[in-house]
Amino acid sequence: GSFSIFSAMSSSEVEELQRLLEELYVLHDTYFEADRKDKIGVSVKHILSGLQALSTPNDARTKALLLFIRGKTLDALPEYSKEAEEALSKATKLDPYSSDCWNCLGHVFWKKGDLESARKCFEGALQSCGPNKISLRQLSMVLRTIQADGETRQQNAREALVKAKESVKLDVTDAMSWYILGNAHLCNFFVNEKTFSELVRALKAYQQAENCTGSSLNPDLFFNRGTVYAFLENFQLAVEDYEKAHQIDPSLGADQKADKIVNFIAKTSLTISTKGRLKQKRLSSLLKSLPSTLPPSFGREMSFLSELNIGSNAGKVLVVKSVIPIPREGDIPVCFVVADGRANFLSLSIYNVDLGVYERLRESETLFILDPTLKVTSLRFKEKHWSFLSLRVVDPSKIVIDGQPLQPSIVSSNFVSETFAS
């Protein structure tokens, strides 16, 4: 948080405590080694003993400042602190025009799990103290976290995006504000938009955050961006971002996310290269049942894999057999290894469907894929390199089974990782 509103204080003892508090939060926001908790604990004790040594001030403003320092210091500890809540509640009463006090109290309520009270604090800060980037972005986070159904959740996601944009406008050089904007776009994608352009906006905001000073120490920035890249199947960038997140903060488990991608790619690649380990006789009978021409109702020519271009193939139809499902971390998109009539194997990813599709597309199901989008999936990781062809279907109705298009279903998911940084 900013301490500028208190800079008029003259007492050198109080100024020293403010300096120690700033140092504590540099440690809190950037240090993730194994002894993090111990180091923070030592720093907290040091500040609290310094506060105890001070005589009680007479004026309300100084009282509020000392209560703020106490509350913010206690709030650096990982668990919720009732003492912090009490100190900051008193501070906001003594100095209701301090956005620092309101923002910190809101953060304490957040940790307590009282999201409505947290929301009121951030809204109160904006009403009493005017626009400030910290209240706006923390309000954005709270709005996205409040458990709500249907219309309320959708409205909260839209409102969270508005607040995040306002925060960025107040300071376009603030890495945290850009990062929160990226998260707001990511949440809005799952709750409202469902279009990949919203994910592109999230990636652009994360890129802006990375361009700002201070961003290189935010593990969640790389973790969330890695998750977006994984969802979009840009596995190389996903793994690189997860590795960066893990280097900064090993406790996030980003290395496991990277490992799961590597395992998924290795398994898919092996399944394709070994043709699903199908015996030649089994493979021949499987592919024999594929049609050699399309029913007239399609009004198009049938294509084999070798006749498709990398990218979109409008007007073409690829007919394949589903060979084996390969579920992946995060569930969506659903993934299969499929084969065309010439025994070319490749992967198929389908977005905007639920996991029931794994039941629906049993082994040896015939799929007609309209306007197929073909891409090369590749990954380099620790001296290994995998590369294979894959189909990506964003609109499930482009897949026809038994004469019926596959029905899309809205999948509600939310994988925004957010360590609440004040």
Side-chain angles (χ1 to χ4, degrees):
S2 94
F3 305 92
S4 57
I5 57 165
F6 301 123
S7 56
M9 291 297 305
S10 57
S11 162
S12 60
E13 289 170 311
V14 176
E15 281 174 8
E16 175 61 12
L17 287 172
Q18 285 177 282
R19 189 187 64 74
L20 290 171
L21 182 59
E22 294 214 28
E23 276 180 14
L24 167 61
Y25 271 84
V26 169
L27 183 72
H28 177 275
D29 295 342
T30 63
Y31 188 79
F32 299 100
E33 300 302 318
D35 60 345
R36 165 186 163 85
K37 195 174 174 183
D38 295 339
K39 280 201 173 207
I40 287 173
V42 169
S43 187
V44 166
K45 274 186 182 159
H46 185 48
I47 296 171
L48 293 179
S49 63
L51 279 168
Q52 220 166 351
L54 293 178
S55 53
T56 309
N58 297 321
D59 65 299
R61 194 85 193 278
T62 313
K63 272 183 189 167
L65 170 54
L66 296 180
L67 285 163
F68 165 77
I69 292 174
R70 180 176 178 75
K72 179 120 180 149
T73 299
L74 289 163
D75 192 39
L77 298 167
E79 56 282 337
Y80 157 76
S81 162
K82 189 169 178 14
E83 283 179 74
E85 184 188 327
E86 287 167 357
L88 290 159
S89 294
K90 284 178 192 166
T92 55
K93 288 184 180 79
L94 288 167
D95 189 358
Y97 299 106
S98 159
S99 62
D100 283 349
C101 293
W102 282 114
N103 288 335
C104 195
L105 180 59
H107 187 258
V108 170
F109 280 129
W110 164 287
K111 272 163 96 172
K112 189 182 183 180
D114 184 352
L115 298 180
E116 278 304 329
S117 293
R119 178 182 184 166
K120 281 173 189 162
C121 285
F122 302 134
E123 286 173 344
L126 293 166
Q127 283 159 8
S128 305
C129 320
N132 71 89
K133 62 187 179 182
I134 294 172
S135 300
L136 285 165
R137 68 191 183 209
Q138 297 198 151
L139 183 54
S140 172
M141 292 165 84
V142 167
L143 284 164
R144 285 185 275 112
T145 311
I146 289 170
Q147 294 298 313
D149 297 322
E151 185 52 45
T152 308
R153 185 163 183 245
Q154 291 173 337
Q155 183 55 43
N156 282 352
R158 283 191 288 267
E159 185 69 12
L161 187 54
V162 169
K163 299 300 176 197
K165 284 177 179 174
E166 287 174 10
S167 172
V168 165
K169 273 183 191 163
L170 289 177
D171 182 0
V172 295
T173 65
D174 191 307
M176 182 58 72
S177 295
W178 280 111
Y179 158 70
I180 296 297
L181 178 59
N183 290 354
H185 280 301
L186 183 50
C187 176
N188 196 48
F189 167 77
F190 283 107
V191 178
N192 289 313
E193 288 287 327
K194 310 292 182 196
T195 57
F196 282 1
S197 57
E198 191 67 353
L199 289 182
V200 172
R201 289 184 199 105
L203 290 175
K204 281 181 179 168
Y206 290 144
Q207 188 57 55
Q208 289 281 9
E210 196 182 7
N211 294 346
C212 298
T213 50
S215 66
S216 58
L217 298 167
N218 179 358
D220 288 340
L221 166 61
F222 300 108
F223 188 97
N224 283 350
R225 192 171 66 183
T227 308
V228 177
Y229 281 137
F231 183 83
L232 293 173
E233 300 193 305
N234 192 331
F235 296 114
Q236 188 66 52
L237 292 175
V239 167
E240 286 167 14
D241 269 350
Y242 280 142
E243 297 263 279
K244 281 180 199 166
H246 180 67
Q247 281 163 10
I248 302 167
D249 183 358
S251 73
L252 275 180
D255 57 331
Q256 293 161 342
K257 290 277 191 184
D259 287 346
K260 280 176 178 166
I261 289 176
V262 171
N263 292 340
F264 168 76
I265 293 291
K267 184 179 178 182
T268 306
S269 181
L270 184 65
T271 305
I272 289 169
S273 62
T274 60
K275 297 190 184 287
R277 298 191 194 279
L278 294 176
K279 293 197 167 74
Q280 190 56 48
K281 196 174 171 187
R282 170 86 183 97
L283 180 59
S284 297
S285 72
L286 184 73
L287 300 181
K288 213 174 270 176
S289 62
L290 280 170
S292 53
T293 57
L294 286 179
S297 59
F298 278 92
R300 311 174 182 215
E301 288 289 304
M302 191 172 102
S303 300
F304 291 100
L305 181 59
S306 57
E307 295 159 347
L308 299 182
N309 299 314
I310 298 293
S312 61
N313 291 273
K316 295 190 174 177
V317 180
L318 181 69
V319 186
V320 295
K321 281 281 183 189
S322 64
V323 177
I324 189 165
I326 306 196
R328 53 169 276 206
E329 170 77 356
D331 298 335
I332 306 299
V334 298
C335 300
F336 296 84
V337 167
V338 297
D340 77 352
R342 292 178 182 164
N344 295 304
F345 279 63
L346 70 165
S347 74
L348 166 66
S349 300
I350 314 170
Y351 290 84
N352 298 309
V353 287
D354 59 36
L355 300 184
V357 168
Y358 285 120
E359 282 296 307
R360 179 80 181 82
L361 303 188
R362 293 176 186 280
E363 188 184 326
S364 78
E365 189 78 69
T366 301
L367 317 179
F368 295 84
I369 301 171
L370 282 60
D371 309 321
T373 298
L374 186 66
K375 66 189 189 84
V376 178
T377 293
S378 63
L379 177 66
R380 286 184 188 277
F381 184 76
K382 292 181 181 171
E383 310 302 314
K384 290 186 178 169
H385 182 222
W386 300 271
S387 185
F388 51 85
L389 287 173
S390 52
L391 293 163
R392 175 173 163 177
V393 179
V394 176
D395 176 3
S397 66
K398 298 271 186 186
I399 298 178
V400 177
I401 308 162
D402 298 332
Q404 296 296 316
L406 195 59
Q407 290 303 308
S409 62
I410 297 303
V411 180
S412 179
S413 172
N414 192 359
F415 48 46
V416 184
S417 163
E418 216 155 39
T419 306
F420 201 129
S422 62

